[in-house]
Amino acid sequence: MHDIELLGSPGSPYTRKMLALLRYRRIPHRMRWGSHFDPLPGYPVPKVKLLPTFYFPTATGQEAMVDSTPIIARLETSHSGRSVWPEDPLLRFLDQLIEDFADEWLTKAMFHYRWHYAEDAANAAPLLTFWQNPTLDSIQAQAMSDAFAKRQISRLHVVGSSHLTAPVIESSFERLVGILDRIIARKEFALGSRPSAADFALYGQLTQLGQVDPTPARFLTRNAPRLRAWLDRMEDLSGQPEGPWMDRHEIAHHLGELLREVGRVYAPFLLANAQAVANGSATFETNIDGQPWAQPVFPYQAKCLEMLKQARRGLPPDAHEALGQVLAETGCETLFDEIGQRGVNDCLNL
Ligand SMILES: N[C@@H](CCC(=O)N[C@@H](CS)C(=O)NCC(=O)O)C(=O)O
């Protein structure tokens, strides 16, 4: 049986998320550094070309798969031990919510800080080139770096990064750094003394924000050396003992601040985006954290909201009730307020 292979880049937050998860779970794998622009010859092509692309061995060859969240689910079924999913359905729901927040909201900060300021863009462009191909000559490398920067800067608005939204994105990132620093100080990880899917998702985005891009990395090193050090440890947790998940009675104290941040910025974003998708609009404007926000609709994130709703509906009664208490007045409870909303399940497009 062949090992799992994955095509990815050190500059891709989701690649780093999954590589660290594979190491923690001790799942044999082969990392193929490259780019989705350069498919591996002879390998199957995924439905959507994204990084990382996983190639799972099958009876007849290999199957390509993208999107880290369902890949984690597949690995939970195919490989036992060192699970990144808490058994308690309430904790598992919070794990999903925080993973989603990291994958879909924190990534706005990641993309924003990479390309919004000239210093950061000038730092990232050659790295992207040489991560993909270390043997390019300088002239080709310069041309490729320029093309990367041009393409990515032109796409900033797609994730909602603009001069209008910069204050919301940056203040949320700065608050989150403090919140995560305090979470690590208490228990080392988001859901207890062992890493969950949420930790790997946060880690993936923070490898870029904390280690690669100068503006956010400076902020993180100055304000949260504990969090900065945690990133280096997260990279390889293959020897990490399996500690306990936290108890339900600890949730409010340990996660209250983080859930209020999710409710403050991500919940209003998800709701406005889903509403706009349901209305068939191409763009939307809303208010986040008391400030204006505008961007094109993002159909995949309407699907994310639908998945969270489904997960909540599937909770056993005691966990459902306990979740209501945990989320009360965090702002996250608004995600599940059905009044005036229509289901949005006809719009999946990664
Ligand atoms: N939801 C996906 C997102 C993966 C993703 O967006 N990957 C980025 C790189 S980090 C990508 O491949 N983007 C392709 C592009 O921008 O053309 C996941 O969790 O894996």
Side-chain angles (χ1 to χ4, degrees), residues 11-14 17 36-37 49-52 66-69 103-104 151-152 155 300 350:
S12 148
Y14 305 96
K17 169 188 180 185
H36 54 292
F37 296 119
K49 286 187 186 164
L50 288 176
L51 297 181
V66 291
D67 201 355
S68 57
T69 303
D103 283 351
E104 310 298 335
R151 171 177 187 269
Q152 299 299 70
R155 285 161 51 104
Y300 179 71
L350 294 181

Side-chain angles (χ1 to χ4, degrees), residues 265-279:
V265 291
Y266 189 45
F269 165 79
L270 273 184
L271 289 167
N273 179 62
Q275 194 60 58
V277 170
N279 294 343

